[in-house]
Amino acid sequence: MNYVSTRGQSESVSSAMAIKQGIAPDGGLYMPESIPALTEDMLRELCELSYSERAAKVMSLFLSDYTYDELLTDCKLAYGDNFDGYAAPVVNAGDKMRVLELWHGPTCAFKDMALQIMPRLLSRALVKTGEERTALILVATSGDTGKAALEGYRDVERTKISVYYPVNGVSRAQKLQMTTQEGSNVNVCAISGNFDDAQSGVKKIFANRDFAAELDKKGYFLSSANSINWGRLVPQTVYYVSAWCDLVKKGDIAFGDKIDICVPTGNFGNILAAFLAKKMGLPVGRFVCASNSNNVLTDFFRTGTYDRNRDFHVTVSPSMDILISSNLERLLYLTAGAQKTRRYMEALAKDGKYTLDKEDFEKIISEFDGYYTSEDACTSEIKSIFDRYSYLVDTHTAVALDAAERYLAENKNAAKRIVIASTASPYKFAPAVARSLGIEVPEGDAEIFSALSGASGTKVPTQLSAVLTKEIRFKKVIDPEEMQSSVLDFIS
Ligand SMILES: *Cc1c(COP(=O)(O)O)cnc(C)c1O
């Protein structure tokens, strides 16, 4: 199966090439030429398999130039001992809500679900496309992505990764997670500046042709790990299929029953993966797109206009603080085709906004609802969920649970069950979660963890407590102007 650009002006490429390139030459995102079908027989078969086997089966439908055995080998490593138990368990919250926990990986956030497997796919893509150079991954991060990418790429053959974070722009726990990173092919650097300085530094390096030529001579090429890469999207489709299978196996739903799906959304990658699962044939009713006060998507689903010209809010769910949801372009493509998608994206680049044609808008809202949750409502939801169900959730998951509860209250014909994606361990955002429960928040990380653990009766994930005592490997702080030379130092 080949991959085409959402903007329709690039040649089609193999799946390995799409993963290696990341973004299409015309600026669009890669999409499969057609969406493969999940037949009833396949769904029955998937229900009987392990998570790794389900992942290899579903991914092999999209990644036709990888063999099933290659994918199975990679999936077993990606979703094995590095997860604390089952990779994507589903737990109950009340009668109708089923929470899909996606944070049992090495960094305690859902980005592990994709970033544990994608580096392996890239490594194989190099061989499959005849690439002889080593992939050099550069990442600017405000916290979660950097750590998940480091864990994913560590010691992966023919790759090296260098991560840049703003020296005062990440939480103490996030900083520790990164600066104690193990692996022989990793580098971490603090930038004296903010996230934008780090990001524009990385962008400048990517745009510098002379630098690319210099790297080429040394046997390297630049690659990125961000969420518009198809290699990050396709592993995310798997866990929605898997959740449905697990509900069927438990007898919570009957084979063939529909579920609704609610996702706390930033860049629109996670919810788009759920939409792909439905297009493949998974029985899904509606999608609930949950946002925090950066509610550009809520307005989009209510009015048909996407308008990024608005204030940016810093919230307690920072991984959703985003005004341009890049992967929405893939929904536009599936709804309106390449030509119109190109026009919408041109308007977004020029005016910071676009309005859907009536026809496209109606198609989209026949399957999507948008809700947003204020800071206060997020805090109360954490407390209320804990009081009612003795279940502790992080700030991002709370935004989604709040949206799901309002959706259920307003929609009498909702599906029998709604699956809510839970995207981070509550311990990853421990101070905000502790505050929501009314706990007086102590000073140090270890103290916050144990206060939260004591009050909630939940365990501190060893992935997070372990970094508190690990040796710090990366102490360098550099100016943004020094980033390029730091890359050369790293590979020399
Ligand atoms: C990245 C992230 C999100 C947003 O996911 P998208 O795929 O960008 O929509 C939500 N919650 C957490 C904890 C995240 O790290």
Side-chain angles (χ1 to χ4, degrees):
M1 178 183 303
N2 276 338
Y3 284 74
V4 294
S5 165
T6 49
R7 300 190 191 174
Q9 296 190 317
S10 299
E11 304 214 343
S12 68
V13 298
S14 67
S15 57
M17 194 57 112
I19 289 170
K20 187 179 126 185
Q21 285 188 0
I23 190 161
D26 63 1
L29 311 186
Y30 281 119
M31 282 296 283
E33 268 169 344
S34 60
I35 308 286
L38 262 182
T39 62
E40 219 183 279
D41 284 349
M42 281 160 138
L43 276 173
R44 279 189 203 283
E45 185 195 348
L46 288 172
C47 284
E48 303 310 315
L49 301 180
S50 69
Y51 189 84
S52 298
E53 289 165 334
R54 287 174 184 168
K57 289 262 178 198
V58 172
M59 285 169 53
S60 70
L61 298 174
F62 285 105
L63 307 180
S64 51
D65 44 348
Y66 292 70
T67 67
Y68 175 72
D69 286 343
E70 286 174 337
L71 292 171
L72 185 61
T73 303
D74 290 350
C75 287
K76 280 185 175 162
L77 291 168
Y79 304 114
D81 294 343
N82 41 350
F83 276 72
D84 60 12
Y86 189 61
V90 184
V91 304
N92 293 1
D95 294 340
K96 291 196 138 200
M97 298 196 295
R98 298 293 175 264
V99 183
L100 171 58
E101 294 182 346
L102 301 171
W103 39 264
H104 291 278
T107 78
C108 295
F110 98 98
K111 296 201 168 51
D112 289 331
M113 300 301 295
L115 280 165
Q116 282 295 303
I117 182 89
M118 177 172 121
R120 301 171 204 276
L121 300 177
L122 175 65
S123 186
R124 288 191 192 279
L126 300 183
V127 179
K128 289 178 192 293
T129 59
E131 178 61 67
E132 286 174 353
R133 296 167 298 175
T134 294
L136 176 57
I137 318 292
L138 298 187
V139 180
T141 185
S142 55
D144 283 348
T145 303
K147 176 61 183 176
L150 284 164
E151 271 302 315
Y153 279 95
R154 79 187 243 198
D155 297 325
V156 171
E157 263 178 67
R158 302 187 56 199
T159 70
K160 284 198 170 195
I161 176 165
S162 191
V163 169
Y164 299 90
Y165 69 92
V167 67
N168 295 318
V170 300
S171 75
R172 239 178 68 86
Q174 284 174 324
K175 187 177 204 156
L176 270 178
Q177 272 193 312
M178 291 190 277
T179 53
T180 58
Q181 179 65 43
E182 292 166 4
S184 59
N185 63 339
V186 303
N187 181 45
V188 177
C189 236
I191 299 293
S192 50
N194 58 27
F195 172 65
D196 285 335
D197 296 324
Q199 182 156 51
S200 48
V202 165
K203 280 191 179 159
K204 250 191 232 161
I205 296 177
F206 270 95
N208 186 337
R209 296 202 170 194
D210 293 339
F211 190 63
E214 196 173 342
L215 288 179
D216 181 64
K217 269 195 240 142
K218 296 177 189 290
Y220 290 90
F221 74 98
L222 291 174
S223 186
S224 95
N226 64 26
S227 78
I228 55 180
N229 193 305
W230 180 252
R232 270 188 68 175
L233 212 52
V234 69
Q236 297 180 356
T237 297
V238 175
Y239 46 73
Y240 293 106
V241 177
S242 177
W244 184 87
C245 289
D246 286 341
L247 292 179
V248 169
K249 284 210 79 172
K250 276 190 227 170
D252 197 28
I253 57 174
F255 189 91
D257 277 355
K258 281 185 182 167
I259 53 171
D260 291 328
I261 295 178
C262 174
V263 184
T265 297
N267 215 9
F268 210 75
N270 200 1
I271 195 168
L272 188 92
F275 185 68
L276 283 173
K278 178 176 184 182
K279 295 294 115 177
M280 293 174 84
L282 190 73
V284 179
R286 297 184 67 79
F287 298 92
V288 179
C289 175
S291 302
N292 62 26
S293 34
N294 294 295
N295 56 0
V296 57
L297 286 165
T298 316
D299 289 346
F300 174 71
F301 290 118
R302 301 220 161 152
T303 65
T305 295
Y306 192 96
D307 187 354
R308 63 160 298 196
N309 304 303
R310 59 180 69 212
D311 290 339
F312 177 86
H313 301 284
V314 175
T315 73
V316 289
S317 46
S319 301
M320 296 157 70
D321 291 346
I322 252 178
L323 292 180
I324 298 193
S325 300
S326 314
N327 275 300
L328 186 62
E329 181 168 346
R330 288 186 158 114
L331 178 64
L332 298 180
Y333 170 79
L334 290 170
T335 305
Q339 214 173 353
K340 273 176 159 181
T341 300
R342 195 164 70 239
R343 265 197 275 129
Y344 292 141
M345 289 301 108
E346 278 165 6
L348 182 65
K350 191 164 150 282
D351 308 322
K353 62 177 180 178
Y354 59 88
T355 298
L356 294 180
D357 292 355
K358 187 163 178 283
E359 178 195 1
D360 298 335
F361 181 51
E362 279 172 1
K363 236 168 143 179
I364 284 179
I365 59 170
S366 71
E367 294 180 282
F368 282 84
D369 288 294
Y371 288 84
Y372 80 94
T373 299
S374 69
E375 295 293 275
D376 283 349
C378 174
T379 302
S380 335
E381 183 71 4
I382 291 173
K383 173 107 175 69
S384 156
I385 290 285
F386 186 73
D387 289 347
R388 279 178 290 158
Y389 308 125
S390 305
Y391 184 57
L392 190 66
V393 298
D394 92 293
T395 47
H396 304 75
T397 308
V399 164
L401 284 162
D402 177 58
E405 299 210 73
R406 282 188 285 149
Y407 166 79
L408 289 174
E410 289 170 18
N411 290 275
K412 293 299 159 233
N413 47 7
K416 195 170 153 196
R417 299 284 179 264
I418 182 163
V419 169
I420 294 109
S422 173
T423 50
S425 155
Y427 286 88
K428 193 124 201 211
F429 299 92
V433 172
R435 229 171 282 127
S436 304
L437 295 188
I439 300 168
E440 187 131 358
V441 181
E443 272 285 317
D445 294 310
E447 289 73 20
I448 298 176
F449 285 171
S450 70
L452 189 56
S453 175
S456 66
T458 59
K459 270 210 211 125
V460 184
T462 50
Q463 300 97 306
L464 289 177
S465 54
V467 298
L468 297 178
T469 54
K470 266 193 191 160
E471 184 202 349
I472 295 184
R473 289 183 67 199
F474 301 101
K475 296 179 182 160
K476 238 192 245 163
V477 185
I478 63 172
D479 286 329
E481 298 76 51
E482 297 174 288
M483 285 170 71
Q484 199 162 303
S485 58
S486 94
V487 172
L488 290 178
D489 284 349
F490 170 48
I491 60 171
S492 63

